[in-house]
């Protein structure tokens, strides 16, 4: 009887997870669908999920809040704060923040989730400071930089279409030298992004990278050559 109950519970959880994923994939339809997807994954985490499952769900919840704060004007700042706090919670399931030694020893799929958590953490903070202004940017600049460096320390540079290279390139392009930015570092990370994330048709896998690289070339006064410009898309982690 107990075995049957466990099988029914597992089947119910699988169905619920499938429903949550469907809602997640439909988040662009309207704000309420985004909120419903968030509630769905939150419910999964309260129904006996494993540590790994919790980290996956927290990352999806983090991205949903980032998406809400980025594409829907309703309460953007609070949504972004929730996003990076959820990403931090996902990281802390496996140990302290900004600790790599033990994290590298974990199974690969867990390390991938930790790397994604750092990407969501840093990207949400970056979006948050864009809305708050320069003083918040000064206060949090090391947080943005260090989250991306953690992805590279974990040896997962391909996370979110080589997002660490992309964000570190932009960080060094936009942050003044006195505050830690450096154009030569921006160039280095853009080159890594261009060489490692190109597809078989010679474009970057995350199209917005071309626009950002064009911005870099304009800043340093170089000609835009053989760069395919594409509109940014709402890619998912």
């Amino acid at each position: 009887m107990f075995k049957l109950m466990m099988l029914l519970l597992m089947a119910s959880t699988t169905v619920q997870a499938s429903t949550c994923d469907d809602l997640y994939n439909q988040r662009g339809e309207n704000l309420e669908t985004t909120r419903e997807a968030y509630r769905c994954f939150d419910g999964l985490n309260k129904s006996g999920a494993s540590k790994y499952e919790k980290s996956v769900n927290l990352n999806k919840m983090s991205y949903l809040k980032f998406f809400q704060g980025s594409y829907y004007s309703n309460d953007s700042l609070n949504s972004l704060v929730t996003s990076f706090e959820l990403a931090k919670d996902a990281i802390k399931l496996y140990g302290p923040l900004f600790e790599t030694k033990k994290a590298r020893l974990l199974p690969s799929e867990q390390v991938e989730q930790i790397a994604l958590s750092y990407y969501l953490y840093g990207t949400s903070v970056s979006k948050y400071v864009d809305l708050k202004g320069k003083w918040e940017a000064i206060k949090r600049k090391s947080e943005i930089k260090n989250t991306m460096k953690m992805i590279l320390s974990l040896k997962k540079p391909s996370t979110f279409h080589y997002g660490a290279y992309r964000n570190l390139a932009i960080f060094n392009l936009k942050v003044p030298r006195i505050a830690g930015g450096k154009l030569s570092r921006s160039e280095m990370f853009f080159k890594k992004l261009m060489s490692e994330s190109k597809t078989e048709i010679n474009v970057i896998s995350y199209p917005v990278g071309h626009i950002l690289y064009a911005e870099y070339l304009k800043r340093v006064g170089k000609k835009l050559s053989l760069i395919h410009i594409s509109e940014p898309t709402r890619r998912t982690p």
Side-chain angles (χ1 to χ4, degrees):
M1 184 68 176
F2 176 75
K3 186 175 181 180
L4 177 60
M5 290 177 64
M6 288 300 297
L7 288 171
L8 289 171
L9 178 61
M10 289 172 63
S12 174
T13 302
T14 301
V15 171
Q16 188 180 356
S18 176
T19 301
C20 294
D21 285 334
D22 288 342
L23 288 166
Y24 180 85
N25 292 332
Q26 295 164 15
R27 66 193 175 281
E29 292 184 359
N30 53 60
L31 176 58
E32 185 51 40
T33 302
T34 304
R35 287 173 169 166
E36 183 60 29
Y38 179 91
R39 290 191 290 267
C40 194
F41 284 112
D42 190 34
L44 283 180
N45 270 2
K46 293 174 180 175
S47 63
S50 67
K51 182 193 293 187
Y52 173 73
E53 289 168 340
K54 283 182 179 178
S55 68
V56 171
N57 295 336
L58 283 169
N59 280 339
K60 289 188 175 181
M61 290 164 68
S62 173
Y63 186 76
L64 286 164
K65 282 297 181 181
F66 172 80
F67 190 89
Q68 181 177 328
S70 299
Y71 296 110
Y72 299 113
S73 59
N74 186 282
D75 207 14
S76 292
L77 288 174
N78 284 336
S79 293
L80 292 167
V81 170
T82 302
S83 177
F84 61 72
E85 290 298 335
L86 285 165
K88 287 159 70 173
D89 288 344
I91 295 165
K92 287 186 281 190
L93 286 172
Y94 298 104
L97 294 172
F98 300 107
E99 193 283 324
T100 57
K101 190 173 181 180
K102 291 181 180 178
R104 285 186 190 138
L105 300 176
L106 294 169
S108 178
E109 67 271 14
Q110 294 183 11
V111 180
E112 287 172 3
Q113 287 302 313
I114 295 170
L116 178 57
S117 299
Y118 276 111
Y119 177 81
L120 293 166
Y121 175 11
T123 304
S124 297
V125 170
S126 180
K127 184 70 175 179
Y128 177 78
V129 302
D130 281 348
L131 296 177
K132 288 286 285 185
K134 65 178 181 180
W135 295 116
E136 192 71 22
I138 290 169
K139 185 169 73 174
R140 290 185 175 271
K141 63 182 176 62
S142 61
E143 205 171 0
I144 298 167
K145 181 170 64 175
N146 290 337
T147 51
M148 297 303 117
K149 285 186 172 180
M150 280 298 298
I151 297 170
L152 302 182
S153 295
L154 291 168
K155 302 187 186 304
K156 295 293 180 181
S158 63
T159 300
F160 206 97
H161 305 275
Y162 295 86
Y165 292 156
R166 186 170 58 250
N167 285 348
L168 286 169
I170 292 302
F171 177 90
N172 283 285
L173 177 65
K174 295 191 172 182
V175 173
R177 187 180 180 89
I178 194 171
K182 196 173 182 181
L183 283 177
S184 61
R185 288 199 202 105
S186 182
E187 180 181 23
M188 177 187 74
F189 286 117
F190 269 124
K191 284 182 176 179
K192 285 179 177 289
L193 178 66
M194 296 294 290
S195 65
E196 295 185 33
S197 73
K198 277 188 177 178
T199 66
E200 64 277 4
I201 59 172
N202 204 37
V203 296
I204 297 176
S205 61
Y206 192 66
V208 74
H210 289 294
I211 296 172
L212 298 172
Y213 186 55
E215 184 180 343
Y216 161 77
L217 292 174
K218 182 179 178 181
R219 171 79 177 273
V220 299
K222 292 182 179 180
K223 289 184 178 180
L224 188 62
S225 172
L226 298 177
I227 301 297
H228 304 278
I229 303 298
S230 303
E231 288 297 318
T233 59
R234 298 183 180 188
R235 292 290 184 114
T236 64

